[in-house]
Amino acid sequence: MEKEIVMNNFWKDRNVLVTGATGLLGGWVAKKLYDAGANVVCLIRDEVPHSELVRSGLIAKVTIVKGDICSQGLMERVLGEHEINIVMHLAAQAIVGIANRNPITTFEANIQGTWSVLEASRRSPLVKSIVVASSDKAYGDQKILPYYEDTPLQGLHPYDVSKSCADLITHSYAHTYDLPAVITRCGNFYGGGDLNWNRIVPGTIRSILNGEKPIIRSDGKFTRDYLYVEDGATAYMMLAEELIKNPSLKGEAFNISNEQPITVIELVEKILAEMSSPLEPVIMNEASNEIREQYLDATKFKTKLDWVPEFNLEEGLKQTINWYKNFLDKFPLSIFNIFAGVLVKH
């Protein structure tokens, strides 16, 4: 069972826009907002029938707007007609491999999509809090680890650059136009509802359940932060609330992490052990244009918002494995042999 997180009455009847609601984080943010009493509006581009938003039945309880995040007119209409107070901007093309193959669509979604949301928010007097999802990838490849919030943003490859740019654009709107926007830089999210099977956690779990050896695209020694999605959703809500209470936070960036960096091979071994599987992973050593080591220092966020993650890595993996066992038991595995990029929606 998931841990209960007690929320206050802050969110009751707040009008909140969530972009990217069919994605992993977006689905959980929308769920927690709804449970806290918010009036949730979800902007989606395509229908994703097996997303958590749909699977949980939440799609019937929130307002759905279909459209492209890059449409300035659409964004202004959504914010105006639905009288949005808080914006959770989570929509993105989030897969590094897809970004390498399709840089233009990645730049459009991640950069133009961000300025579209911010410009529409600037024109909407009711918007009082905006949380923009950047990434630890925005820092690029650094010699000194962990990343701190004042570490330079120096993305090099398409996905990294798209996040560096979106991050800087948000800074610009906050400081030039006094826009109440803050930036989150998180590590790799994992948890139930991630249908991008080329990501290491869902891909490994699915392989094991299918009796197949899990595939590691890299040499297994790449080091990352992994943040359980429910902790991430709670952190985003805390930050949006704090920004309204303390407007001086506008323009600031916050690293959010459980500060437990781990190599890919170690993560896969933890999943194998938790699932009592004797399978051995296949190491392809084919990764390219990816940062080898990255992890975050989250002292600023933990201190300013008194945040402590509810789940450590082991607890989060147990929750995630159980979710996929239940989910994949209901649907043939063959249904989900879908290229991951199809499921990254705005």
Side-chain angles (χ1 to χ4, degrees):
M1 294 178 60
E2 67 182 66
K3 294 185 179 181
E4 276 191 35
I5 298 175
V6 178
M7 307 298 294
N8 56 31
N9 289 325
F10 171 86
W11 293 97
K12 185 173 175 56
D13 297 326
R14 297 266 183 179
N15 298 328
V16 186
L17 172 66
V18 179
T19 70
T22 55
L24 171 61
L25 178 62
W28 282 100
V29 168
K31 178 181 184 298
K32 288 187 177 292
L33 285 168
Y34 177 82
D35 290 345
N39 301 318
V40 183
V41 179
C42 295
L43 176 65
I44 65 174
R45 186 183 63 188
D46 303 321
E47 292 184 9
V48 185
H50 296 292
S51 66
E52 184 65 11
L53 182 73
V54 177
R55 190 201 68 84
S56 66
L58 183 62
I59 194 168
K61 302 174 183 177
V62 300
T63 299
I64 298 296
V65 178
K66 293 184 180 179
D68 189 340
I69 193 73
C70 295
S71 172
Q72 188 70 48
L74 174 67
M75 290 308 307
E76 293 189 15
R77 181 184 74 78
V78 171
L79 295 181
E81 290 186 4
H82 295 283
E83 299 183 316
I84 298 298
N85 311 127
I86 297 174
V87 176
M88 298 285 201
H89 177 43
L90 314 177
Q93 192 300 98
I95 306 299
V96 173
I98 295 174
N100 289 334
R101 291 187 296 271
N102 301 280
I104 300 304
T105 56
T106 299
F107 292 152
E108 287 173 345
N110 297 1
I111 302 174
Q112 184 180 349
T114 298
W115 85 53
S116 177
V117 170
L118 295 173
E119 178 64 13
S121 297
R122 183 174 77 90
R123 295 168 179 266
S124 176
L126 298 181
V127 174
K128 303 301 181 184
S129 178
I130 308 157
V131 179
V132 175
S134 182
S135 168
D136 57 354
K137 310 298 185 295
Y139 291 115
D141 201 352
Q142 302 281 345
K143 294 181 179 179
I144 299 175
L145 292 168
Y147 300 145
Y148 294 88
E149 284 83 359
D150 59 359
T151 299
L153 304 182
Q154 54 183 41
L156 181 62
H157 303 296
Y159 180 75
D160 314 339
V161 167
S162 76
K163 285 301 185 178
S164 297
C165 289
D167 202 310
L168 288 168
I169 288 168
T170 305
H171 274 288
S172 175
Y173 267 85
H175 292 289
T176 304
Y177 303 110
D178 206 32
L179 195 69
V182 289
I183 300 148
T184 62
R185 299 171 185 157
C186 303
N188 292 10
F189 284 110
Y190 71 96
D194 188 356
L195 302 182
N196 287 298
W197 301 108
N198 65 352
R199 284 181 175 150
I200 192 65
V201 173
T204 297
I205 295 171
R206 184 179 69 162
S207 293
I208 295 169
L209 291 174
N210 204 26
E212 299 171 349
K213 293 182 178 182
I215 302 297
I216 296 177
R217 292 183 300 107
S218 68
D219 62 3
K221 298 179 182 178
F222 282 50
T223 302
R224 296 287 187 269
D225 274 321
Y226 293 90
L227 181 62
Y228 184 57
V229 67
E230 292 190 59
D231 278 333
T234 301
Y236 272 62
M237 289 175 65
M238 290 176 66
L239 187 54
E241 179 178 345
E242 186 64 23
L243 179 58
I244 286 184
K245 295 176 178 178
N246 183 8
S248 66
L249 292 179
K250 65 179 179 295
E252 292 199 34
F254 292 88
N255 292 340
I256 304 176
S257 167
N258 66 3
E259 299 179 309
Q260 288 184 284
I262 187 173
T263 65
V264 172
I265 188 64
E266 289 172 337
L267 179 63
V268 170
E269 288 172 348
K270 281 183 177 290
I271 297 172
L272 287 164
E274 180 61 33
M275 298 179 72
S276 301
S277 172
L279 294 167
E280 295 287 337
V282 177
I283 298 177
M284 304 297 289
N285 200 17
E286 294 177 345
S288 62
N289 297 335
E290 294 190 33
I291 300 165
R292 190 163 187 82
E293 289 187 283
Q294 50 186 180
Y295 47 92
L296 299 159
D297 180 283
T299 302
K300 177 182 176 182
F301 186 72
K302 289 180 175 180
T303 301
K304 286 199 172 187
L305 280 86
D306 194 26
W307 176 77
V308 177
E310 292 286 323
F311 299 84
N312 60 30
L313 183 59
E314 291 72 22
E315 292 169 331
L317 286 176
K318 287 180 181 179
Q319 297 285 331
T320 303
I321 291 165
N322 287 334
W323 188 94
Y324 284 105
K325 283 180 177 178
N326 293 330
F327 178 67
L328 293 173
D329 187 52
K330 297 177 182 177
F331 302 101
L333 288 168
S334 59
I335 290 177
F336 301 102
N337 291 324
I338 302 170
F339 188 68
V342 176
L343 296 174
V344 180
K345 306 303 178 187
H346 300 304

